[in-house]
Amino acid sequence: MDVASPWWTALAGLAVGGVIGFAVFRARLCTFGALEDAMVGHDWRRMKVFALALGVAVLGTQALVLAGILTPDRTNYVTTALPWLGILVGGLLFGLGMALVGTCAFGSLVRLGSGDLRSLVVLLVFGAVAYATLRGIFAGLRVDGLERIAVLLPTGTSSDLPSIVGRITGHDSRAFLALVAGSALVAPAFADRRLRRAGRLMTAGLLLGLGVVAGWLATIWLVDEFAHPTAPQSLTFVSPVARALFGLLFEPWGLAEFGAGSVFGVALGAFAASRHADEFRWEAFDDPREMKRHLLGAVLMGSGGILCGGCTIGQGLTAGSLFALSWPLAVIGMAIGARLGIALLMEGSLTGLVRQSVAGRFGFHNKP
């Protein structure tokens, strides 16, 4: 195989995805589960693990930028305009869909690897809707609608925090921001005695962060910019799932990229972990109601993920590692959507949720 072939980046994606899929399955690490633990059970341990992953990703990614290896404004996350409304709305839809499914796109791949056929259905619908929003029937509505509402940044300024701070202060503060933010994100996990004893969780967090850095390196070093010019990319599981599905159905050459490789890698890594632990089990929908909930969640995640530019990994870790301004908007939208979805599931219906909200707002409570 030619060393300049894009299949090498796909193999790199397969390897990186396999490692994190294996580690995350063994650690039972899930983004939605972490949010649910924090919001409902007030248990922040798994959120600290994701903070650890983000901290490692920030320190590694910013080191690549400072070394001149990675140029942030060559990526799809750091641009000269910030479509804030689309990112917020997309994050909200993705978070709500994530709650209905019970996990995110990345978690669905992990579940699929362990034999969950519900996730196969979710990923098929999710990928189809994501592709329709990215390049299909809904693309016009996205581009000419929500994405037109954007903040245009001054000439020479990109949509990342170091660029904004540098323009305001006149000094390059990237190294300082990376050191402070990375250390602050990593510290809570290592300060938690229970987490320090949870080796699998800590390992999964570290490997997730390192996986983001490895993604940047693979798509810079293994890509021939003249033969196959592509933007540097790293871990994300919205458009890669869509492109992987399209590649399987219509154009196999479309699988020759890091993102598609990482999609298959995560599922294979989780499969290896589940088989190793003798936990591989075929699972399916319990009833039509559960299936409808998953299908609706898949539609919301597919459309919302494209609108906000990524999933809980793509925006939560990869965009965050670049200090992209889209990161807080997407994460806030996803958190609000997830909280709304949790409340909706607890009430059982939208009307029940509205009724409960109104009762709580005005003090109307049913008396025994």
Side-chain angles (χ1 to χ4, degrees):
M1 186 187 297
D2 182 4
V3 292
S5 169
W7 287 106
W8 283 108
T9 59
L11 287 174
L14 188 73
V16 173
V19 170
I20 63 173
F22 188 94
V24 165
F25 178 86
R26 283 174 60 85
R28 300 295 188 270
L29 187 59
C30 170
T31 315
F32 175 69
L35 285 169
E36 189 175 27
D37 285 351
M39 292 175 174
V40 179
H42 307 291
D43 181 352
W44 290 83
R45 278 178 294 174
R46 287 200 284 181
M47 288 299 294
K48 291 177 183 178
V49 173
F50 278 106
L52 169 64
L54 178 58
V56 171
V58 164
L59 291 170
T61 299
Q62 294 305 313
L64 297 181
V65 175
L66 291 167
I69 297 172
L70 174 64
T71 304
D73 56 14
R74 285 197 59 218
T75 71
N76 295 326
Y77 295 104
V78 179
T79 60
T80 57
L82 183 68
W84 60 273
L85 183 59
I87 294 171
L88 274 174
V89 171
L92 183 69
L93 293 176
F94 189 93
L96 179 56
M98 179 171 62
L100 294 177
V101 172
T103 190
C104 63
F106 175 64
S108 294
L109 288 168
V110 173
R111 286 184 176 183
L112 176 62
S114 64
D116 192 333
L117 295 178
R118 295 169 299 185
S119 292
L120 175 61
V121 176
V122 166
L123 287 165
L124 289 173
V125 175
F126 167 81
V129 174
Y131 199 89
T133 308
L134 181 67
R135 297 178 183 174
I137 191 171
F138 302 131
L141 179 63
R142 171 180 61 84
V143 174
D144 298 327
L146 289 172
E147 290 187 357
R148 282 190 174 273
I149 304 173
V151 174
L152 296 177
L153 299 172
T155 303
T157 305
S158 300
S159 58
D160 64 331
L161 183 60
S163 182
I164 299 295
V165 172
R167 184 176 182 86
I168 294 173
T169 64
H171 300 285
D172 185 359
S173 57
R174 183 177 296 275
F176 174 77
L177 289 171
L179 183 60
V180 171
S183 301
L185 287 164
V186 166
F190 284 102
D192 191 313
R193 183 180 302 175
R194 291 178 301 173
L195 275 179
R196 289 202 304 269
R197 292 197 291 260
R200 290 183 179 180
L201 273 173
M202 295 290 281
T203 300
L206 289 169
L207 289 175
L208 266 176
L210 291 173
V212 172
V213 182
W216 295 128
L217 287 173
T219 56
I220 292 171
W221 287 347
L222 298 178
V223 171
D224 186 332
E225 294 186 8
F226 296 99
H228 308 284
T230 57
Q233 59 178 302
S234 191
L235 296 176
T236 186
F237 298 96
V238 180
S239 57
V241 170
R243 293 195 300 269
L245 178 61
F246 184 86
L248 285 173
L249 294 175
F250 304 109
E251 183 54 69
W253 185 253
L255 300 175
E257 60 151 15
F258 178 86
S262 66
V263 166
F264 294 107
V266 169
L268 288 173
F271 171 75
S274 64
R275 295 289 294 186
H276 177 75
D278 195 24
E279 295 178 5
F280 183 87
R281 301 288 186 274
W282 293 114
E283 295 184 59
F285 294 108
D286 292 331
D287 53 49
R289 183 175 181 179
E290 184 187 29
M291 184 173 183
K292 287 189 291 184
R293 176 165 56 82
H294 278 70
L295 292 177
L296 176 58
V299 170
L300 293 175
M301 282 202 300
S303 57
I306 294 297
L307 282 173
C308 73
C311 58
T312 53
I313 304 298
Q315 278 290 355
L317 297 183
T318 300
S321 74
L322 292 166
F323 290 127
L325 298 185
S326 62
W327 173 80
L329 295 174
V331 170
I332 289 170
M334 290 176 188
I336 294 173
R339 186 66 186 91
L340 179 63
I342 292 170
L344 181 60
L345 290 173
M346 291 175 67
E347 290 301 322
S349 68
L350 184 60
T351 55
L353 174 61
V354 173
R355 187 164 52 247
Q356 181 67 21
S357 300
V358 171
R361 173 67 177 83
F362 295 102
F364 302 145
H365 299 284
N366 294 326
K367 297 181 179 179

